[in-house]
């Protein structure tokens, strides 16, 4: 247990001491939310029908994007946290840890928990944008977001560790992650409504772990149950699999199962890592 805490503490302290990374974490969300969101708001409203009356008149693209921006932030931070594993290999620090009495399972769990904690903190930092975009966030929503964010971050940190355990260079890790990030992000409903897609793309959406993660954030923040059915359908907020509308509880189960699978595979692969 002490080994897990030590690895977790190292990654968390390293994050808070890196001011450039701390400040830079706002750059991408700001660009998407303020620049891209505001710039595309008029175009998206026109695509939604351009009606000044009726339920579709309440569509706000910036507010729609906000849960997706939180998902994007948690996703990027959690999965890129595993980059430190590859860097530690390159600089020899990982060799020192692996030959220590600390079990490799403890090292892997500590790394995942460290990445999850940092991703949770950065996700919560996105709430700073709330007063500027007209989204209403209550303390109840924040308390709901915290465990959901951590669960999503844990699953994605485990996925990042699984990938990092198989690579030897940071350049290779970054290239593989970049290949994963954009398809997973754009097929998750984070930036655009999941409606009117072809069947083959809809299949990719349903097997994308980030889809269920982003949808959970939307259910908490956007409160789709209080929306008009037409607006909810146009925004793609009714995620269905085999004509069954996925509930919030079912999404929790899906992400939790993925977390277990990813962390087991990651610890098994990390345990075979050469010292």
């Amino acid at each position: 247990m002490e080994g897990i805490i030590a690895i977790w503490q190292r990654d968390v302290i390293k994050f808070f001491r890196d001011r450039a990374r701390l400040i830079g974490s706002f750059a991408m969300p700001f660009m998407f939310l303020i620049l891209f969101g505001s710039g595309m708001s008029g175009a998206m409203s026109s695509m939604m029908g351009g009606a000044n009356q009726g339920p579709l008149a309440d569509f706000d693209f910036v507010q729609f994007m906000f849960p997706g921006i939180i998902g994007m932030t948690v996703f990027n931070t959690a999965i890129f946290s595993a980059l430190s594993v590859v860097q530690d290999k390159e600089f020899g620090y990982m060799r020192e840890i692996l030959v220590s009495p600390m079990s490799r399972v403890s090292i892997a769990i500590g790394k995942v928990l460290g990445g999850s904690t940092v991703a949770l903190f950065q996700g919560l930092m996105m709430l700073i944008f709330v007063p500027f975009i007209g989204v209403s966030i209550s303390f109840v929503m924040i308390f709901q977001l915290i465990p959901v964010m951590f669960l999503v971050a844990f699953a994605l940190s485990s996925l990042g560790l699984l990938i990092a355990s198989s690579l030897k260079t940071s350049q290779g890790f970054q290239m593989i992650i970049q290949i994963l990030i954009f398809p997973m992000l754009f097929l998750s409903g984070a930036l655009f409504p999941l409606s009117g897609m072809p069947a083959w793309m809809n299949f990719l959406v349903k097997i994308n772990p980030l889809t269920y993660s982003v949808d959970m954030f939307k259910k908490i923040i956007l409160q789709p149950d209080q929306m008009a059915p037409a607006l909810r359908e146009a925004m793609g907020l009714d995620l269905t699999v085999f004509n069954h509308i996925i509930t919030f509880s079912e999404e929790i189960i899906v992400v939790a199962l993925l977390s277990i699978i990813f962390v087991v595979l990651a610890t098994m692969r990390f345990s075979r890592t050469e010292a």
Side-chain angles (χ1 to χ4, degrees):
M1 189 64 184
E2 292 181 0
I4 294 176
I5 295 175
I7 297 295
W8 168 83
Q9 188 178 34
R10 174 180 179 266
D11 285 353
V12 173
I13 292 176
K14 184 178 179 181
F15 168 73
F16 282 105
R17 287 181 176 177
D18 191 347
R19 294 184 178 179
R21 181 183 174 190
L22 193 62
I23 297 173
S25 63
F26 285 98
M28 187 67 73
F30 177 83
M31 182 183 69
F32 273 93
L33 189 61
I34 305 300
L35 302 181
F36 180 72
S38 299
M40 289 289 294
S41 182
M44 288 300 298
S45 296
S46 299
M47 292 172 62
M48 299 290 282
N52 295 322
Q53 298 178 349
L56 296 184
D58 296 329
F59 177 77
D60 188 317
F61 186 51
V62 176
Q63 293 183 12
F64 169 82
M65 281 185 60
F66 184 64
I69 294 300
I70 293 179
M72 181 184 72
T73 303
V74 173
F75 173 55
N76 286 343
T77 305
I79 204 163
F80 266 109
S81 66
L83 177 61
S84 63
V85 174
V86 184
Q87 292 175 334
D88 288 343
K89 288 181 184 179
E90 292 179 320
F91 295 119
Y93 179 77
M94 184 57 66
R95 181 183 297 272
E96 298 178 10
I97 299 179
L98 293 178
V99 298
S100 69
M102 190 186 311
S103 70
R104 297 192 177 191
V105 173
S106 297
I107 298 172
I109 296 297
K111 281 289 184 182
V112 172
L113 289 176
S116 303
T117 304
V118 171
L120 170 63
F121 178 77
Q122 289 206 222
L124 290 174
M125 286 173 64
M126 294 303 101
L127 298 180
I128 294 175
F129 291 114
V130 166
F132 307 102
I133 59 177
V135 176
S136 178
I137 300 288
S138 65
F139 286 108
V140 174
M141 291 181 184
I142 295 175
F143 286 128
Q144 290 176 328
L145 281 171
I146 289 175
V148 173
M149 279 188 194
F150 187 81
L151 177 62
V152 171
F154 188 86
L156 297 173
S157 294
S158 302
L159 177 60
L161 180 62
L162 176 62
I163 297 171
S165 301
S166 307
L167 301 174
K168 295 182 179 181
T169 64
S170 56
Q171 292 86 353
F173 177 83
Q174 291 179 17
M175 182 170 293
I176 295 297
I177 294 301
Q178 289 292 345
I179 294 174
L180 286 176
I181 280 181
F182 289 103
M184 290 181 69
L185 181 61
F186 285 105
L187 292 174
S188 67
L191 304 178
F192 301 100
L194 295 176
S195 56
M197 295 181 299
W200 66 269
M201 187 175 291
N202 190 51
F203 171 76
L204 295 178
V205 167
K206 301 304 166 50
I207 64 173
N208 181 8
L210 197 57
T211 299
Y212 304 95
S213 304
V214 170
D215 196 62
M216 285 192 293
F217 296 144
K218 289 180 179 179
K219 282 183 168 64
I220 294 174
I221 297 174
L222 298 180
Q223 299 290 306
D225 292 339
Q226 301 177 11
M227 293 181 178
L231 178 60
R232 190 169 65 243
E233 181 181 356
M235 295 174 69
L237 298 180
D238 290 329
L239 183 62
T240 60
V241 176
F242 299 117
N243 296 322
H244 170 70
I245 298 178
I246 304 298
T247 65
F248 184 82
S249 299
E250 290 171 340
E251 289 172 335
I252 290 286
I253 294 173
V254 169
V255 177
L257 288 175
L258 290 174
S259 300
I260 295 172
I261 294 172
F262 287 151
V263 76
V264 169
L265 293 176
T267 49
M268 290 174 59
R269 184 68 186 88
F270 189 81
S271 297
R272 301 191 187 101
T273 302
E274 296 181 1

